[in-house]
Amino acid sequence: MMKYLTFILNISSWISSVHSNNGWAGITPAQPLLECTEDIHDEIFNINVKGALFCSKYAIKYMKENGGGSIVFTGSPHSDAGELDRVSYACSKGAVVTLANHIAKNYGQYNIRSNYITMGWTPTEGELALRKSQGITKEDLEETAKKIVPMSRMNTYDDIVPAIIYLLSDNSLMVSGSNIRITGGWFM
């Protein structure tokens, strides 16, 4: 992790903003609590929590030296409780919400902002791969979304990117410790 941030610093000489979209690479294992294995749990936490935590650690070090900055985490409504078969994923996303709030509370004195965006149902590569393994197509997902998401569709990146840009910009200098929910009303 540090080698990548060092590379960025060699190019730009400072970090003022970070977007952290730590997520399970590929298919999120479907595991209810009673079937959860320690190995899968550790893999999910290593990616989702440790990735976000250590990226933030090194970015904050440079932000403190350079007058501040903004960190934006994106995650899932699973952070509030999750579905039955996503126990480790849900717990990991809850931990990232806590990390975002911890940074906002404890590093604001250094002009460092931290926010979280809860992304609603979004057809990411991981989501599509998981559903494909279950025999569900993207078109099936879109039909399901029409029935259960109040705004009748899944998110697109065009729904999410403007919020990330806003939170990383100087237009949000007093926004820290916030959770913006871009869920089409599905999760509140």
Side-chain angles (χ1 to χ4, degrees), residues 95-158:
V96 175
V97 171
T98 300
L99 174 63
N101 291 335
H102 173 84
I103 292 168
K105 179 181 179 189
N106 295 292
Y107 294 91
Q109 64 185 312
Y110 304 106
N111 203 29
I112 296 170
R113 296 172 284 127
S114 174
N115 293 287
Y116 189 88
I117 295 176
T118 299
M119 299 184 336
W121 199 2
T122 307
T124 63
E125 289 178 25
E127 174 73 359
L128 295 175
L130 170 66
R131 301 308 178 174
K132 185 177 180 181
S133 75
Q134 298 170 332
I136 301 169
T137 67
K138 182 177 180 184
E139 291 73 26
D140 295 334
L141 293 177
E142 289 168 350
E143 284 302 312
T144 301
K146 284 180 186 177
K147 296 173 188 168
I148 64 173
V149 176
M151 295 190 81
S152 300
R153 67 176 177 84
M154 298 173 81
N155 282 351
T156 68
Y157 293 113
D158 290 336

Side-chain angles (χ1 to χ4, degrees), residues 1 4-5 15 20 27 41 45 53 56 59 68 79-80 88 117 127 131 139 146 148 158 161 168 174:
M1 182 75 58
Y4 298 114
L5 286 173
I15 293 176
S20 178
I27 299 173
H41 178 83
F45 264 70
L53 188 141
S56 298
S79 64
D80 293 328
S88 295
I117 295 176
E127 174 73 359
R131 301 308 178 174
E139 291 73 26
K146 284 180 186 177
I148 64 173
D158 290 336
V161 170
L168 292 175
M174 284 299 289

Side-chain angles (χ1 to χ4, degrees), residues 34-91:
L34 299 179
E35 296 171 21
C36 182
T37 67
E38 188 173 349
D39 288 343
I40 294 296
H41 178 83
D42 288 347
E43 281 187 62
I44 292 170
F45 264 70
N46 284 343
I47 293 169
N48 290 355
V49 180
K50 283 177 70 174
L53 188 141
F54 287 104
C55 181
S56 298
K57 172 187 172 179
Y58 295 115
I60 288 170
K61 175 184 173 189
Y62 291 100
M63 288 177 179
K64 280 179 64 176
E65 293 173 1
N66 291 286
S70 177
I71 300 172
V72 177
F73 298 91
T74 49
S76 161
H78 285 277
S79 64
D80 293 328
E83 299 295 327
L84 175 66
D85 64 348
R86 301 286 189 283
V87 65
S88 295
Y89 180 77
C91 290

Side-chain angles (χ1 to χ4, degrees), residues 19-30:
H19 169 236
S20 178
N21 187 31
N22 299 81
W24 181 262
I27 299 173
T28 302

